[in-house]
Amino acid sequence: MPTNDKNIMTRLYVVTAFMFLFAFAVLFKLVNIQVVQGDKYKDLAMKRTEKMFTIAPNRGNLYSDDGSLLATSVSRYTIRFDAVTVSDADFKKYIVPLSDALSDMLGSSSSHYQQVLRKAKANKNRYALIARNLDYSEYMAVKDFPLFNKGPYKGGLIIEQKTVREHPLGKIAERSVGYENVDDNGYYSGVGLERAFGPYLRGIEGKRLKQKIAKGQWKPIGWDNIVEPKDGYDLVSTIDINIQDIAHHALLGQLEKYKADHGCVIVMETGTGEVKAISNLGQTKDGTYYERLNYAIGESHEPGSTFKLMSLVAALEDKVVDTSTVIDTEKGRWRIYDRTVKDSKWGGYGKISLARAFEVSSNTAFAKMVHNNYKDDPEKYVNRLMKMNLHRQLDLPIKGEGQPVIRFPGDKGWSGISLAWMSYGYEVSLTPLQTLTFYNAIANDGEMVKPRLIKEVREWDQTIEKFDKEVISASICSKETAAIAQDLLKKVVEDEHGTGHKLYSPNFSMAGKTGTAQKNYASQDPDKLKYISTFAGYFPADAPKYSCIVVIHEPDKSVGYYGADVSGPVFKSIAQKVYATSPLIDEVDMDKMKIEALETSYQKYYAEVQKEYNKVPNVQGMSGMDAISILENLGIQVEVKGNGKVKKQSIAHGTDIKNVQSITLELS
């Protein structure tokens, strides 16, 4: 055979062998894919055409104590436009009527929407934004608009739905109600009741298998692949929206008057520990106020003279003094080591009893009392404070509770002046709620109850879990000591020399203690010296129903800074309005003559009101609650829009009431 023929045959054999090996490799790979890795590739294919989707549960509602909504979940819709799917003929035919309909609903001009739609069509935009944050009724209306009523393919309508959390009461108690967020890793964050009770509110996610179809759409596959979501439970809080509204506006008005940096109010039911109102307002750069932080629970600070109640109770319990013990106030100045204790009254009060010292809030008297009686055994004083649970947090479900500070001898910062300073509220630190809890215990004859913000967890009409009264200490002091403290707190307001006497009213009773603490007192610059103004107490004085604390930080010193002037009026306003809206006659011991006198005076008052108010009053600028009370008492039906203060009334003031059946108030 010629050499050339041999070479050709050799090459042919090589090519044949290579093709045989290639065919074998292909066959081997096919067998391997089908048999060995078949399940893997089946799963991969399924993942590309089928996907498990999460079905979000409905988050539970948060209610006030009377069933009013504090927080609820609602659906919001975003409308977009796919300009590519719409035919030129339909676009030309419907662009004007569609734009007119959008203009009527959303407010912008028809030409604006025509421009948006034409631009989307020219740019072949498949995702043009038309409107955001529509509610359900608006969404249903948009679906019936010209062109959009042809659906997603012929009409280009794209609907995006999301669930948002809304607060029907607006900004009132916003920080206490709070919020909860979750990141991509499933980590939850937030504040307030929403975060604290998130596990109850969240519910359980469901699962649904869907198959990918044309144009990237997914459709459910059958019914057997669904794991139904479980909606979250509802929470019933202790918040009373009437008291909350009163507290919010009373605090806001005083913050604005004194141009203060921030402040808080807490109102608590004495016997149960239920928090009926909690408001926290901080100043913005433009001078307005909003619920910036939860100061009531989270901000621990030196309480100032409100701590004298704690020192008084400790000394009485240890029997180192009694209320008749006489103390020399040293002309209002007492030197101890290298520091001077000063009274607010220049020249002091001379030699006065401990009872009088409490009523006039003498710093020198309390510093002397505690230092002189405990200097040889300072642990005794601190142990008594700790026995009254002042060093412990309240262990609240809401995160971020401030840490109380009660120094112990030997701790960092303890010195020879510590006893004197602690006696009237320095070198100690408490949050407003911790201070109020102690005052509430005194009003409660010594029983300290834990503050509560939630009454129960519910699923429809069924109670899942109930939060009952919880006692921290059955007795922080003897009933005798509690009674003495109650009497002195009452005299702070009722007696002419009491620091809270400006707040006295013969129409209702209250008891409490003023406090004016300095901030930045270590600074040598007087311009940096700031104040914390406080009033803590309860009402009525003889049969306490509610305890309350008002704390206002950094009021304008040129306007005023004493607790009786700054915080006291907020306390009085709350007490007065709660009295007016929640009569406490069944808790007041009145003989027949007093009742008859009260009825007679009421009839006279009512007659005067009837004479004066025969015309519609001007309620603009009032809080919504106050305006409603006034108008409804005049026999006028009231419809309210919005929250806050009245900015507009539908019937002009001065209109004869005989011609008015109803009125609409717009609040802001």
Side-chain angles (χ1 to χ4, degrees), residues 77-86 125-131 134 139 142-143 147-148 151-153 155-161 217:
Y77 301 86
T78 295
I79 308 300
R80 294 184 181 273
F81 178 59
D82 182 352
V84 174
T85 61
V86 178
N125 190 339
R126 308 202 64 170
Y127 201 60
L129 176 65
I130 303 300
L134 301 186
Y139 151 67
V142 166
K143 286 179 63 177
L147 185 61
F148 283 171
Y153 302 126
L157 178 64
I158 300 173
I159 302 292
E160 295 175 345
Q161 178 184 354
Q217 302 292 315

PDB file of all heavy atoms in Angstrom, residues 77-86 125-131 134 139 142-143 147-148 151-153 155-161 217:
ATOM      1  N   TYR A  77     -51.111  51.584  48.562  1.00  0.00           N
ATOM      2  CA  TYR A  77     -50.890  51.154  47.187  1.00  0.00           C
ATOM      3  C   TYR A  77     -50.108  52.199  46.398  1.00  0.00           C
ATOM      4  O   TYR A  77     -50.338  53.403  46.542  1.00  0.00           O
ATOM      5  CB  TYR A  77     -52.233  50.896  46.498  1.00  0.00           C
ATOM      6  CG  TYR A  77     -53.063  49.833  47.188  1.00  0.00           C
ATOM      7  CD1 TYR A  77     -53.899  50.169  48.245  1.00  0.00           C
ATOM      8  CD2 TYR A  77     -52.983  48.500  46.800  1.00  0.00           C
ATOM      9  CE1 TYR A  77     -54.649  49.204  48.892  1.00  0.00           C
ATOM     10  CE2 TYR A  77     -53.733  47.528  47.440  1.00  0.00           C
ATOM     11  CZ  TYR A  77     -54.564  47.882  48.487  1.00  0.00           C
ATOM     12  OH  TYR A  77     -55.295  46.913  49.129  1.00  0.00           O
ATOM     13  N   THR A  78     -49.194  51.695  45.555  1.00  0.00           N
ATOM     14  CA  THR A  78     -48.462  52.530  44.614  1.00  0.00           C
ATOM     15  C   THR A  78     -48.915  52.164  43.201  1.00  0.00           C
ATOM     16  O   THR A  78     -49.005  50.978  42.860  1.00  0.00           O
ATOM     17  CB  THR A  78     -46.945  52.319  44.748  1.00  0.00           C
ATOM     18  OG1 THR A  78     -46.527  52.765  46.037  1.00  0.00           O
ATOM     19  CG2 THR A  78     -46.181  53.104  43.685  1.00  0.00           C
ATOM     20  N   ILE A  79     -49.207  53.174  42.391  1.00  0.00           N
ATOM     21  CA  ILE A  79     -49.681  52.955  41.021  1.00  0.00           C
ATOM     22  C   ILE A  79     -48.562  53.318  40.046  1.00  0.00           C
ATOM     23  O   ILE A  79     -48.013  54.425  40.102  1.00  0.00           O
ATOM     24  CB  ILE A  79     -50.924  53.827  40.713  1.00  0.00           C
ATOM     25  CG1 ILE A  79     -51.999  53.633  41.791  1.00  0.00           C
ATOM     26  CG2 ILE A  79     -51.458  53.514  39.327  1.00  0.00           C
ATOM     27  CD1 ILE A  79     -52.501  52.226  41.924  1.00  0.00           C
ATOM     28  N   ARG A  80     -48.230  52.370  39.159  1.00  0.00           N
ATOM     29  CA  ARG A  80     -47.239  52.610  38.111  1.00  0.00           C
ATOM     30  C   ARG A  80     -47.842  52.262  36.745  1.00  0.00           C
ATOM     31  O   ARG A  80     -48.894  51.605  36.666  1.00  0.00           O
ATOM     32  CB  ARG A  80     -45.966  51.804  38.371  1.00  0.00           C
ATOM     33  CG  ARG A  80     -45.231  52.266  39.632  1.00  0.00           C
ATOM     34  CD  ARG A  80     -43.923  51.529  39.836  1.00  0.00           C
ATOM     35  NE  ARG A  80     -43.239  51.946  41.050  1.00  0.00           N
ATOM     36  CZ  ARG A  80     -42.409  52.963  41.147  1.00  0.00           C
ATOM     37  NH1 ARG A  80     -42.148  53.678  40.054  1.00  0.00           N
ATOM     38  NH2 ARG A  80     -41.830  53.280  42.288  1.00  0.00           N
ATOM     39  N   PHE A  81     -47.144  52.681  35.663  1.00  0.00           N
ATOM     40  CA  PHE A  81     -47.689  52.545  34.312  1.00  0.00           C
ATOM     41  C   PHE A  81     -46.668  51.895  33.398  1.00  0.00           C
ATOM     42  O   PHE A  81     -45.517  52.340  33.314  1.00  0.00           O
ATOM     43  CB  PHE A  81     -48.073  53.935  33.777  1.00  0.00           C
ATOM     44  CG  PHE A  81     -48.598  53.934  32.381  1.00  0.00           C
ATOM     45  CD1 PHE A  81     -49.733  53.201  32.042  1.00  0.00           C
ATOM     46  CD2 PHE A  81     -47.977  54.684  31.377  1.00  0.00           C
ATOM     47  CE1 PHE A  81     -50.220  53.215  30.740  1.00  0.00           C
ATOM     48  CE2 PHE A  81     -48.463  54.702  30.083  1.00  0.00           C
ATOM     49  CZ  PHE A  81     -49.595  53.963  29.766  1.00  0.00           C
ATOM     50  N   ASP A  82     -47.099  50.802  32.731  1.00  0.00           N
ATOM     51  CA  ASP A  82     -46.273  50.127  31.726  1.00  0.00           C
ATOM     52  C   ASP A  82     -46.708  50.641  30.351  1.00  0.00           C
ATOM     53  O   ASP A  82     -47.726  50.215  29.802  1.00  0.00           O
ATOM     54  CB  ASP A  82     -46.461  48.610  31.830  1.00  0.00           C
ATOM     55  CG  ASP A  82     -45.583  47.846  30.839  1.00  0.00           C
ATOM     56  OD1 ASP A  82     -44.946  48.491  29.984  1.00  0.00           O
ATOM     57  OD2 ASP A  82     -45.536  46.603  30.933  1.00  0.00           O
ATOM     58  N   ALA A  83     -45.925  51.561  29.796  1.00  0.00           N
ATOM     59  CA  ALA A  83     -46.313  52.220  28.545  1.00  0.00           C
ATOM     60  C   ALA A  83     -46.144  51.320  27.329  1.00  0.00           C
ATOM     61  O   ALA A  83     -46.724  51.596  26.273  1.00  0.00           O
ATOM     62  CB  ALA A  83     -45.495  53.494  28.359  1.00  0.00           C
ATOM     63  N   VAL A  84     -45.358  50.240  27.448  1.00  0.00           N
ATOM     64  CA  VAL A  84     -45.061  49.380  26.296  1.00  0.00           C
ATOM     65  C   VAL A  84     -46.240  48.485  25.949  1.00  0.00           C
ATOM     66  O   VAL A  84     -46.517  48.222  24.767  1.00  0.00           O
ATOM     67  CB  VAL A  84     -43.795  48.544  26.580  1.00  0.00           C
ATOM     68  CG1 VAL A  84     -43.542  47.537  25.459  1.00  0.00           C
ATOM     69  CG2 VAL A  84     -42.590  49.459  26.761  1.00  0.00           C
ATOM     70  N   THR A  85     -46.973  48.007  26.970  1.00  0.00           N
ATOM     71  CA  THR A  85     -48.045  47.039  26.713  1.00  0.00           C
ATOM     72  C   THR A  85     -49.293  47.683  26.112  1.00  0.00           C
ATOM     73  O   THR A  85     -50.153  46.995  25.577  1.00  0.00           O
ATOM     74  CB  THR A  85     -48.445  46.327  28.020  1.00  0.00           C
ATOM     75  OG1 THR A  85     -48.938  47.303  28.948  1.00  0.00           O
ATOM     76  CG2 THR A  85     -47.264  45.612  28.630  1.00  0.00           C
ATOM     77  N   VAL A  86     -49.391  49.003  26.204  1.00  0.00           N
ATOM     78  CA  VAL A  86     -50.592  49.701  25.734  1.00  0.00           C
ATOM     79  C   VAL A  86     -50.434  50.026  24.243  1.00  0.00           C
ATOM     80  O   VAL A  86     -49.396  50.556  23.819  1.00  0.00           O
ATOM     81  CB  VAL A  86     -50.809  51.005  26.533  1.00  0.00           C
ATOM     82  CG1 VAL A  86     -52.034  51.759  26.007  1.00  0.00           C
ATOM     83  CG2 VAL A  86     -50.973  50.687  28.011  1.00  0.00           C
ATOM     84  N   ASN A 125     -41.071  53.504  28.808  1.00  0.00           N
ATOM     85  CA  ASN A 125     -40.906  53.232  30.248  1.00  0.00           C
ATOM     86  C   ASN A 125     -41.938  52.200  30.685  1.00  0.00           C
ATOM     87  O   ASN A 125     -43.140  52.384  30.503  1.00  0.00           O
ATOM     88  CB  ASN A 125     -41.103  54.537  31.039  1.00  0.00           C
ATOM     89  CG  ASN A 125     -40.712  54.387  32.495  1.00  0.00           C
ATOM     90  OD1 ASN A 125     -40.664  53.298  33.035  1.00  0.00           O
ATOM     91  ND2 ASN A 125     -40.430  55.514  33.139  1.00  0.00           N
ATOM     92  N   ARG A 126     -41.476  51.120  31.264  1.00  0.00           N
ATOM     93  CA  ARG A 126     -42.371  50.054  31.698  1.00  0.00           C
ATOM     94  C   ARG A 126     -42.686  50.135  33.195  1.00  0.00           C
ATOM     95  O   ARG A 126     -43.310  49.226  33.743  1.00  0.00           O
ATOM     96  CB  ARG A 126     -41.775  48.694  31.366  1.00  0.00           C
ATOM     97  CG  ARG A 126     -41.355  48.535  29.924  1.00  0.00           C
ATOM     98  CD  ARG A 126     -41.274  47.088  29.524  1.00  0.00           C
ATOM     99  NE  ARG A 126     -42.557  46.423  29.576  1.00  0.00           N
ATOM    100  CZ  ARG A 126     -42.775  45.200  29.076  1.00  0.00           C
ATOM    101  NH1 ARG A 126     -41.802  44.543  28.476  1.00  0.00           N
ATOM    102  NH2 ARG A 126     -43.964  44.641  29.185  1.00  0.00           N
ATOM    103  N   TYR A 127     -42.233  51.260  33.856  1.00  0.00           N
ATOM    104  CA  TYR A 127     -42.383  51.312  35.309  1.00  0.00           C
ATOM    105  C   TYR A 127     -42.521  52.762  35.771  1.00  0.00           C
ATOM    106  O   TYR A 127     -41.927  53.194  36.750  1.00  0.00           O
ATOM    107  CB  TYR A 127     -41.163  50.662  35.952  1.00  0.00           C
ATOM    108  CG  TYR A 127     -41.348  50.191  37.363  1.00  0.00           C
ATOM    109  CD1 TYR A 127     -42.312  49.237  37.688  1.00  0.00           C
ATOM    110  CD2 TYR A 127     -40.549  50.696  38.386  1.00  0.00           C
ATOM    111  CE1 TYR A 127     -42.459  48.797  38.983  1.00  0.00           C
ATOM    112  CE2 TYR A 127     -40.696  50.258  39.698  1.00  0.00           C
ATOM    113  CZ  TYR A 127     -41.653  49.306  39.980  1.00  0.00           C
ATOM    114  OH  TYR A 127     -41.807  48.857  41.271  1.00  0.00           O
ATOM    115  N   ALA A 128     -43.333  53.534  35.068  1.00  0.00           N
ATOM    116  CA  ALA A 128     -43.482  54.958  35.372  1.00  0.00           C
ATOM    117  C   ALA A 128     -44.361  55.159  36.608  1.00  0.00           C
ATOM    118  O   ALA A 128     -45.455  54.590  36.709  1.00  0.00           O
ATOM    119  CB  ALA A 128     -44.092  55.694  34.182  1.00  0.00           C
ATOM    120  N   LEU A 129     -43.889  55.988  37.546  1.00  0.00           N
ATOM    121  CA  LEU A 129     -44.628  56.252  38.775  1.00  0.00           C
ATOM    122  C   LEU A 129     -45.785  57.208  38.505  1.00  0.00           C
ATOM    123  O   LEU A 129     -45.598  58.277  37.941  1.00  0.00           O
ATOM    124  CB  LEU A 129     -43.703  56.849  39.835  1.00  0.00           C
ATOM    125  CG  LEU A 129     -44.357  57.268  41.155  1.00  0.00           C
ATOM    126  CD1 LEU A 129     -44.908  56.058  41.885  1.00  0.00           C
ATOM    127  CD2 LEU A 129     -43.362  58.023  42.027  1.00  0.00           C
ATOM    128  N   ILE A 130     -46.982  56.819  38.964  1.00  0.00           N
ATOM    129  CA  ILE A 130     -48.165  57.661  38.825  1.00  0.00           C
ATOM    130  C   ILE A 130     -48.596  58.222  40.180  1.00  0.00           C
ATOM    131  O   ILE A 130     -48.853  59.409  40.322  1.00  0.00           O
ATOM    132  CB  ILE A 130     -49.335  56.883  38.200  1.00  0.00           C
ATOM    133  CG1 ILE A 130     -48.912  56.298  36.837  1.00  0.00           C
ATOM    134  CG2 ILE A 130     -50.563  57.771  38.056  1.00  0.00           C
ATOM    135  CD1 ILE A 130     -48.495  57.341  35.819  1.00  0.00           C
ATOM    136  N   ALA A 131     -48.681  57.375  41.209  1.00  0.00           N
ATOM    137  CA  ALA A 131     -49.133  57.831  42.533  1.00  0.00           C
ATOM    138  C   ALA A 131     -48.644  56.881  43.606  1.00  0.00           C
ATOM    139  O   ALA A 131     -48.490  55.675  43.367  1.00  0.00           O
ATOM    140  CB  ALA A 131     -50.654  57.938  42.570  1.00  0.00           C
ATOM    141  N   LEU A 134     -51.724  55.368  48.241  1.00  0.00           N
ATOM    142  CA  LEU A 134     -53.178  55.408  48.113  1.00  0.00           C
ATOM    143  C   LEU A 134     -53.804  54.426  49.094  1.00  0.00           C
ATOM    144  O   LEU A 134     -53.248  53.352  49.370  1.00  0.00           O
ATOM    145  CB  LEU A 134     -53.603  55.046  46.693  1.00  0.00           C
ATOM    146  CG  LEU A 134     -53.065  55.916  45.550  1.00  0.00           C
ATOM    147  CD1 LEU A 134     -53.713  55.503  44.240  1.00  0.00           C
ATOM    148  CD2 LEU A 134     -53.300  57.396  45.822  1.00  0.00           C
ATOM    149  N   TYR A 139     -57.427  53.055  45.620  1.00  0.00           N
ATOM    150  CA  TYR A 139     -56.906  52.004  44.735  1.00  0.00           C
ATOM    151  C   TYR A 139     -58.030  51.390  43.893  1.00  0.00           C
ATOM    152  O   TYR A 139     -57.883  51.193  42.679  1.00  0.00           O
ATOM    153  CB  TYR A 139     -56.200  50.956  45.583  1.00  0.00           C
ATOM    154  CG  TYR A 139     -56.211  49.551  45.030  1.00  0.00           C
ATOM    155  CD1 TYR A 139     -55.511  49.221  43.868  1.00  0.00           C
ATOM    156  CD2 TYR A 139     -56.915  48.542  45.680  1.00  0.00           C
ATOM    157  CE1 TYR A 139     -55.521  47.924  43.368  1.00  0.00           C
ATOM    158  CE2 TYR A 139     -56.921  47.249  45.195  1.00  0.00           C
ATOM    159  CZ  TYR A 139     -56.242  46.938  44.037  1.00  0.00           C
ATOM    160  OH  TYR A 139     -56.252  45.667  43.542  1.00  0.00           O
ATOM    161  N   VAL A 142     -59.024  53.796  41.138  1.00  0.00           N
ATOM    162  CA  VAL A 142     -58.029  53.879  40.057  1.00  0.00           C
ATOM    163  C   VAL A 142     -58.179  52.704  39.099  1.00  0.00           C
ATOM    164  O   VAL A 142     -58.006  52.853  37.882  1.00  0.00           O
ATOM    165  CB  VAL A 142     -56.605  53.934  40.652  1.00  0.00           C
ATOM    166  CG1 VAL A 142     -55.555  53.685  39.566  1.00  0.00           C
ATOM    167  CG2 VAL A 142     -56.353  55.278  41.307  1.00  0.00           C
ATOM    168  N   LYS A 143     -58.513  51.544  39.616  1.00  0.00           N
ATOM    169  CA  LYS A 143     -58.675  50.364  38.760  1.00  0.00           C
ATOM    170  C   LYS A 143     -59.775  50.547  37.724  1.00  0.00           C
ATOM    171  O   LYS A 143     -59.759  49.902  36.668  1.00  0.00           O
ATOM    172  CB  LYS A 143     -58.990  49.136  39.620  1.00  0.00           C
ATOM    173  CG  LYS A 143     -57.801  48.595  40.396  1.00  0.00           C
ATOM    174  CD  LYS A 143     -58.186  47.388  41.237  1.00  0.00           C
ATOM    175  CE  LYS A 143     -58.651  46.239  40.380  1.00  0.00           C
ATOM    176  NZ  LYS A 143     -58.969  45.037  41.191  1.00  0.00           N
ATOM    177  N   LEU A 147     -58.669  53.372  30.465  1.00  0.00           N
ATOM    178  CA  LEU A 147     -57.429  52.682  30.099  1.00  0.00           C
ATOM    179  C   LEU A 147     -56.981  51.724  31.186  1.00  0.00           C
ATOM    180  O   LEU A 147     -56.775  50.540  30.926  1.00  0.00           O
ATOM    181  CB  LEU A 147     -56.296  53.669  29.780  1.00  0.00           C
ATOM    182  CG  LEU A 147     -54.997  53.016  29.270  1.00  0.00           C
ATOM    183  CD1 LEU A 147     -55.249  52.254  27.968  1.00  0.00           C
ATOM    184  CD2 LEU A 147     -53.909  54.051  29.061  1.00  0.00           C
ATOM    185  N   PHE A 148     -56.863  52.191  32.441  1.00  0.00           N
ATOM    186  CA  PHE A 148     -56.455  51.300  33.531  1.00  0.00           C
ATOM    187  C   PHE A 148     -57.445  50.165  33.736  1.00  0.00           C
ATOM    188  O   PHE A 148     -57.079  49.095  34.219  1.00  0.00           O
ATOM    189  CB  PHE A 148     -56.296  52.086  34.839  1.00  0.00           C
ATOM    190  CG  PHE A 148     -55.022  52.891  34.919  1.00  0.00           C
ATOM    191  CD1 PHE A 148     -54.815  53.794  35.958  1.00  0.00           C
ATOM    192  CD2 PHE A 148     -54.024  52.754  33.961  1.00  0.00           C
ATOM    193  CE1 PHE A 148     -53.646  54.533  36.043  1.00  0.00           C
ATOM    194  CE2 PHE A 148     -52.849  53.504  34.029  1.00  0.00           C
ATOM    195  CZ  PHE A 148     -52.660  54.399  35.078  1.00  0.00           C
ATOM    196  N   GLY A 151     -56.780  46.535  32.537  1.00  0.00           N
ATOM    197  CA  GLY A 151     -55.932  45.583  33.235  1.00  0.00           C
ATOM    198  C   GLY A 151     -54.448  45.804  33.007  1.00  0.00           C
ATOM    199  O   GLY A 151     -54.025  46.786  32.389  1.00  0.00           O
ATOM    200  N   PRO A 152     -53.609  44.877  33.503  1.00  0.00           N
ATOM    201  CA  PRO A 152     -52.153  45.059  33.461  1.00  0.00           C
ATOM    202  C   PRO A 152     -51.550  44.964  32.068  1.00  0.00           C
ATOM    203  O   PRO A 152     -50.496  45.560  31.817  1.00  0.00           O
ATOM    204  CB  PRO A 152     -51.630  43.947  34.365  1.00  0.00           C
ATOM    205  CG  PRO A 152     -52.703  42.909  34.351  1.00  0.00           C
ATOM    206  CD  PRO A 152     -53.988  43.646  34.224  1.00  0.00           C
ATOM    207  N   TYR A 153     -52.142  44.226  31.154  1.00  0.00           N
ATOM    208  CA  TYR A 153     -51.532  44.021  29.849  1.00  0.00           C
ATOM    209  C   TYR A 153     -51.991  45.056  28.829  1.00  0.00           C
ATOM    210  O   TYR A 153     -51.196  45.773  28.237  1.00  0.00           O
ATOM    211  CB  TYR A 153     -51.814  42.596  29.359  1.00  0.00           C
ATOM    212  CG  TYR A 153     -51.297  41.555  30.330  1.00  0.00           C
ATOM    213  CD1 TYR A 153     -52.130  40.568  30.828  1.00  0.00           C
ATOM    214  CD2 TYR A 153     -49.973  41.593  30.762  1.00  0.00           C
ATOM    215  CE1 TYR A 153     -51.656  39.626  31.728  1.00  0.00           C
ATOM    216  CE2 TYR A 153     -49.493  40.663  31.668  1.00  0.00           C
ATOM    217  CZ  TYR A 153     -50.342  39.689  32.156  1.00  0.00           C
ATOM    218  OH  TYR A 153     -49.870  38.774  33.050  1.00  0.00           O
ATOM    219  N   GLY A 155     -53.990  47.664  29.557  1.00  0.00           N
ATOM    220  CA  GLY A 155     -54.117  48.989  30.173  1.00  0.00           C
ATOM    221  C   GLY A 155     -52.838  49.493  30.817  1.00  0.00           C
ATOM    222  O   GLY A 155     -52.771  50.655  31.240  1.00  0.00           O
ATOM    223  N   GLY A 156     -51.814  48.654  30.924  1.00  0.00           N
ATOM    224  CA  GLY A 156     -50.531  49.065  31.477  1.00  0.00           C
ATOM    225  C   GLY A 156     -50.535  49.339  32.982  1.00  0.00           C
ATOM    226  O   GLY A 156     -49.598  49.952  33.515  1.00  0.00           O
ATOM    227  N   LEU A 157     -51.587  48.899  33.674  1.00  0.00           N
ATOM    228  CA  LEU A 157     -51.699  49.183  35.107  1.00  0.00           C
ATOM    229  C   LEU A 157     -50.819  48.242  35.926  1.00  0.00           C
ATOM    230  O   LEU A 157     -50.921  47.023  35.817  1.00  0.00           O
ATOM    231  CB  LEU A 157     -53.161  49.046  35.554  1.00  0.00           C
ATOM    232  CG  LEU A 157     -53.442  49.256  37.042  1.00  0.00           C
ATOM    233  CD1 LEU A 157     -53.111  50.682  37.463  1.00  0.00           C
ATOM    234  CD2 LEU A 157     -54.907  48.937  37.362  1.00  0.00           C
ATOM    235  N   ILE A 158     -49.962  48.836  36.763  1.00  0.00           N
ATOM    236  CA  ILE A 158     -49.126  48.066  37.685  1.00  0.00           C
ATOM    237  C   ILE A 158     -49.470  48.501  39.111  1.00  0.00           C
ATOM    238  O   ILE A 158     -49.419  49.687  39.436  1.00  0.00           O
ATOM    239  CB  ILE A 158     -47.626  48.292  37.426  1.00  0.00           C
ATOM    240  CG1 ILE A 158     -47.262  47.875  35.995  1.00  0.00           C
ATOM    241  CG2 ILE A 158     -46.779  47.540  38.436  1.00  0.00           C
ATOM    242  CD1 ILE A 158     -45.836  48.218  35.614  1.00  0.00           C
ATOM    243  N   ILE A 159     -49.825  47.535  39.942  1.00  0.00           N
ATOM    244  CA  ILE A 159     -50.208  47.819  41.325  1.00  0.00           C
ATOM    245  C   ILE A 159     -49.168  47.224  42.268  1.00  0.00           C
ATOM    246  O   ILE A 159     -48.827  46.045  42.171  1.00  0.00           O
ATOM    247  CB  ILE A 159     -51.585  47.214  41.665  1.00  0.00           C
ATOM    248  CG1 ILE A 159     -52.661  47.756  40.726  1.00  0.00           C
ATOM    249  CG2 ILE A 159     -51.935  47.473  43.127  1.00  0.00           C
ATOM    250  CD1 ILE A 159     -52.968  49.209  40.922  1.00  0.00           C
ATOM    251  N   GLU A 160     -48.662  48.032  43.186  1.00  0.00           N
ATOM    252  CA  GLU A 160     -47.765  47.545  44.232  1.00  0.00           C
ATOM    253  C   GLU A 160     -48.428  47.795  45.583  1.00  0.00           C
ATOM    254  O   GLU A 160     -48.848  48.916  45.879  1.00  0.00           O
ATOM    255  CB  GLU A 160     -46.418  48.272  44.176  1.00  0.00           C
ATOM    256  CG  GLU A 160     -45.643  48.003  42.905  1.00  0.00           C
ATOM    257  CD  GLU A 160     -44.368  48.824  42.830  1.00  0.00           C
ATOM    258  OE1 GLU A 160     -44.238  49.784  43.619  1.00  0.00           O
ATOM    259  OE2 GLU A 160     -43.519  48.513  41.994  1.00  0.00           O
ATOM    260  N   GLN A 161     -48.529  46.757  46.369  1.00  0.00           N
ATOM    261  CA  GLN A 161     -49.190  46.867  47.665  1.00  0.00           C
ATOM    262  C   GLN A 161     -48.179  46.680  48.792  1.00  0.00           C
ATOM    263  O   GLN A 161     -47.282  45.846  48.713  1.00  0.00           O
ATOM    264  CB  GLN A 161     -50.296  45.813  47.799  1.00  0.00           C
ATOM    265  CG  GLN A 161     -51.000  45.832  49.146  1.00  0.00           C
ATOM    266  CD  GLN A 161     -52.013  44.709  49.285  1.00  0.00           C
ATOM    267  OE1 GLN A 161     -52.281  43.972  48.326  1.00  0.00           O
ATOM    268  NE2 GLN A 161     -52.567  44.547  50.472  1.00  0.00           N
ATOM    269  N   GLN A 217     -44.382  36.900  35.609  1.00  0.00           N
ATOM    270  CA  GLN A 217     -45.445  36.790  36.596  1.00  0.00           C
ATOM    271  C   GLN A 217     -45.398  35.421  37.272  1.00  0.00           C
ATOM    272  O   GLN A 217     -44.907  34.439  36.723  1.00  0.00           O
ATOM    273  CB  GLN A 217     -46.808  36.993  35.930  1.00  0.00           C
ATOM    274  CG  GLN A 217     -46.956  38.324  35.222  1.00  0.00           C
ATOM    275  CD  GLN A 217     -46.971  39.479  36.180  1.00  0.00           C
ATOM    276  OE1 GLN A 217     -47.636  39.437  37.197  1.00  0.00           O
ATOM    277  NE2 GLN A 217     -46.222  40.525  35.862  1.00  0.00           N
TER     278      GLN A 217
END
